[in-house]
Amino acid sequence: MHCIVFFGIQGSGKGTQAELLSEFLDFQHINIGDLFRDQVARETDLGKQVHEIMCRGELVPDELVFEIIYSSLRQDLKGIVFDGFPRTLKQAEHLMQNYKVVQVFFLELSEEEAIARISARRVCSGCGANYNLNSSKPLRDNVCDDCGAELKIRDDDRPEAIAKRVKEFYAKTLALKDFFAAHNLLCLIDGGGSIEAVATRIRNKVTGLF
Ligand code: AMP
């Protein structure tokens, strides 16, 4: 199974860019954070196991990550765009053993800019739609354009949890840059500028890969 991987500091735009690229390539987009949030919202056994961990901004154990990926794979897929996976060396090794990794995009953005972006993030309490008060504002303050419900800050976007998530990124995920560079898979992308500007940089890199 062909796959493309996005990683980068929280707020670097990997979710948005992974979504756009998966539409462009007609690949399945697997956003691990969203999959876990869905389990939490539905109060499943898995959701109950991961809820506290996520609220604290810590990483979920690797085995639970593998489990949720397997259970979400579509049968008809052409390929996968992974977003938020891998985040540990063990996950990266699992990825290399089980998938044909074509390219790994690392979105580069300063910590200050990433935190500023996260602080502007809002999610709809009704339908889960994502907004950003800087780049994709709702039409009416604090109200979802799609369903009219109130917008809120994600539990793990609160300052204490952000600080913990950024710490986890430096402690466990940043080392994957060297891992993927050693496999000749790493492609650094400037994550600054508009969503479309970053998307164009990425599309230019995938042209010719498939
Ligand atoms: P995200 O929306 O990508 O920032 O992910 C939200 C939360 O989900 C993270 O803070 C972790 O608790 C959990 N999570 C997402 N992806 C992973 C992963 N690959 N490994 C472990 N935990 C993850």
Side-chain angles (χ1 to χ4, degrees), residues 10 14 32-33 36-37 54 58-60 65 84-85 87 91 154 156 165:
Q10 284 71 15
K14 56 188 161 40
I32 314 293
F36 281 133
R37 277 185 284 279
M54 291 177 72
E58 293 169 8
L59 291 182
V60 169
V65 173
F85 173 82
R87 287 193 183 177
Q91 291 179 17
R154 251 168 56 180
D156 61 351
R165 288 161 69 206

Side-chain angles (χ1 to χ4, degrees), residues 12 27 48 68 76 83 90-91 101 104-105 117 133 193:
S12 59
F27 278 17
K48 287 176 192 153
I68 201 151
D76 58 331
D83 160 9
K90 187 170 171 201
Q91 291 179 17
V101 185
V104 176
F105 289 115
R117 283 189 189 176
L133 302 185

Side-chain angles (χ1 to χ4, degrees), residues 157-178:
D157 277 350
R158 296 185 187 283
E160 325 75 71
I162 291 179
K164 178 72 188 171
R165 288 161 69 206
V166 168
K167 208 167 151 202
E168 292 274 62
F169 170 77
Y170 285 118
K172 298 178 181 156
T173 310
L174 190 58
L176 301 186
K177 252 173 116 174
D178 290 343

